[in-house]
Amino acid sequence: MKIIECPRDAWQGLSRQIPAETKAEYLRALVGAGFKQIDAVSFVSPRAVPQMADSEDVLKRLDPPDDVEIIGIVVNEKGAERALATEAVRTLGFPYSISETFLKKNQNQTADENSDALEAVWRKAEEQGLGMVAYISMAFGNPYGDLWNVDELLQAVQNIADLGIQTISLADTVGVAKPELVADIVAEVVKEFDHIEVGVHLHGRKENAEAKILAAYRAGCRRFDSALGGLGGCPFAQDLLVGNVPTEVVMRTLAEHGAQLPIRKPFEDVLRMNEDIALRFVR
């Protein structure tokens, strides 16, 4: 069982700039609370995502211990090179999507450009001995009317697996998926690709989070992306941000159904820090 804490996703849509030291302090608190996998930063255009313009500075201040996996999100080879230069990023995260409209909005890429960038980033990761996770954005459908069906999704997973990438995360980018769809899609992908690690990156309203989490878990998912307090969402997905599923709900739900959780320390202090950041810097 893996819980990937995602402050990067929680922060990227905030309009008020969070100081680098505040970010680093929060990340240190996550490490202290026992979080071992943290989606902490991205290396993208500062014009597109100004909140992540200081990623290098944040990681320098953090200086993460060797047993903590820092995930850095990149959308092209230049971003991968920036992430590698920090010597703090352990895993590159890459958004891959079957929605051409979303690719244009989020990464300014066509489908072919997205595939080429995925290959280039994967080569960089392999060369430097880094891990890689590919996120399939809009994995459960999209609000744009772009083609979506299970076969298209399975082909996207196949494209990623054929490169040798061993971890994928199915993203409900705009929170459109019902629990029944989450269960069906996760079960199908887990069955077809039992040789790779399949995770979920779910968005949605807090009141609907538990059902989605449980649906994914019962379908065989053992890797969950989440953010304390349920803050965040993709600023390019739609006008109204739909938050991440809250980590505290993920952990409570999984524990109630017998899962052995990787984080056993109390994290109330981190939750209070998160609430303070949200109050000070939310739009």
Side-chain angles (χ1 to χ4, degrees), residues 76-139:
N76 52 37
E77 196 169 3
K78 180 180 178 181
E81 290 169 352
R82 287 178 56 197
L84 289 167
T86 68
E87 299 184 354
V89 173
R90 304 281 184 265
T91 298
L92 299 179
F94 185 89
Y96 185 83
S97 183
I98 55 177
S99 168
E100 293 225 29
T101 303
F102 180 69
L103 283 174
K104 187 65 177 176
K105 287 173 172 283
N106 188 57
Q107 290 149 250
N108 196 27
Q109 291 173 338
T110 65
D112 287 342
E113 289 169 342
N114 189 230
S115 295
D116 290 345
L118 174 68
E119 290 189 44
V121 169
W122 171 235
R123 283 196 301 269
K124 288 285 184 184
E126 277 197 304
E127 288 168 5
Q128 299 300 319
L130 268 63
M132 186 160 169
V133 53
Y135 300 88
I136 302 186
S137 307
M138 304 290 177

Side-chain angles (χ1 to χ4, degrees), residues 16-271:
R16 297 184 60 196
Q17 193 70 28
I18 305 170
E21 182 53 36
T22 300
K23 293 175 186 173
E25 181 184 12
Y26 183 72
L27 294 172
R28 285 192 290 269
L30 288 175
V31 171
F35 288 90
K36 296 295 186 182
Q37 280 107 10
I38 305 175
D39 175 354
V41 290
S42 66
F43 300 89
V44 296
S45 166
R47 293 187 300 277
V49 188
Q51 192 65 253
M52 292 290 113
D54 58 1
S55 291
E56 286 90 346
D57 187 16
V58 170
L59 292 182
K60 186 175 181 180
R61 292 167 185 262
L62 173 62
D63 189 22
D66 291 340
D67 65 342
V68 172
E69 179 188 5
I70 296 295
I71 301 171
I73 305 301
V74 304
V75 298
N76 52 37
E77 196 169 3
K78 180 180 178 181
E81 290 169 352
R82 287 178 56 197
L84 289 167
T86 68
E87 299 184 354
V89 173
R90 304 281 184 265
T91 298
L92 299 179
F94 185 89
Y96 185 83
S97 183
I98 55 177
S99 168
E100 293 225 29
T101 303
F102 180 69
L103 283 174
K104 187 65 177 176
K105 287 173 172 283
N106 188 57
Q107 290 149 250
N108 196 27
Q109 291 173 338
T110 65
D112 287 342
E113 289 169 342
N114 189 230
S115 295
D116 290 345
L118 174 68
E119 290 189 44
V121 169
W122 171 235
R123 283 196 301 269
K124 288 285 184 184
E126 277 197 304
E127 288 168 5
Q128 299 300 319
L130 268 63
M132 186 160 169
V133 53
Y135 300 88
I136 302 186
S137 307
M138 304 290 177
F140 300 91
N142 64 80
Y144 312 120
D146 291 343
L147 176 66
W148 181 90
N149 56 53
V150 174
D151 290 339
E152 288 288 324
L153 174 62
L154 292 176
Q155 185 59 58
V157 178
Q158 187 68 63
N159 295 343
I160 294 166
D162 285 347
L163 291 175
I165 297 169
Q166 293 296 301
T167 305
I168 67 157
S169 189
L170 303 172
D172 184 18
T173 313
V174 289
V176 298
K178 304 292 186 187
E180 296 79 12
L181 180 61
V182 171
D184 290 345
I185 294 300
V186 171
E188 186 75 17
V189 175
V190 168
K191 180 183 73 173
E192 293 291 327
F193 299 92
D194 59 358
H195 59 291
I196 64 175
E197 182 180 38
V198 177
V200 291
H201 184 105
L202 300 173
H203 289 171
R205 304 297 177 196
K206 290 183 181 181
E207 59 269 21
N208 300 323
E210 184 173 348
K212 289 187 179 186
I213 295 158
L214 187 55
Y217 178 69
R218 286 176 168 166
C221 179
R222 295 298 181 265
R223 177 189 176 100
F224 290 83
D225 288 12
S226 57
L228 287 168
L231 190 64
C234 179
F236 303 104
Q238 57 183 23
D239 292 334
L240 181 62
L241 295 182
V242 179
N244 293 274
V245 290
T247 302
E248 58 273 25
V249 176
V250 172
M251 294 181 66
R252 184 185 71 242
T253 301
L254 296 179
E256 287 174 351
H257 290 84
Q260 295 297 309
L261 299 178
I263 299 140
R264 299 168 187 250
K265 296 181 181 180
F267 50 86
E268 285 78 7
D269 289 347
V270 191
L271 267 172

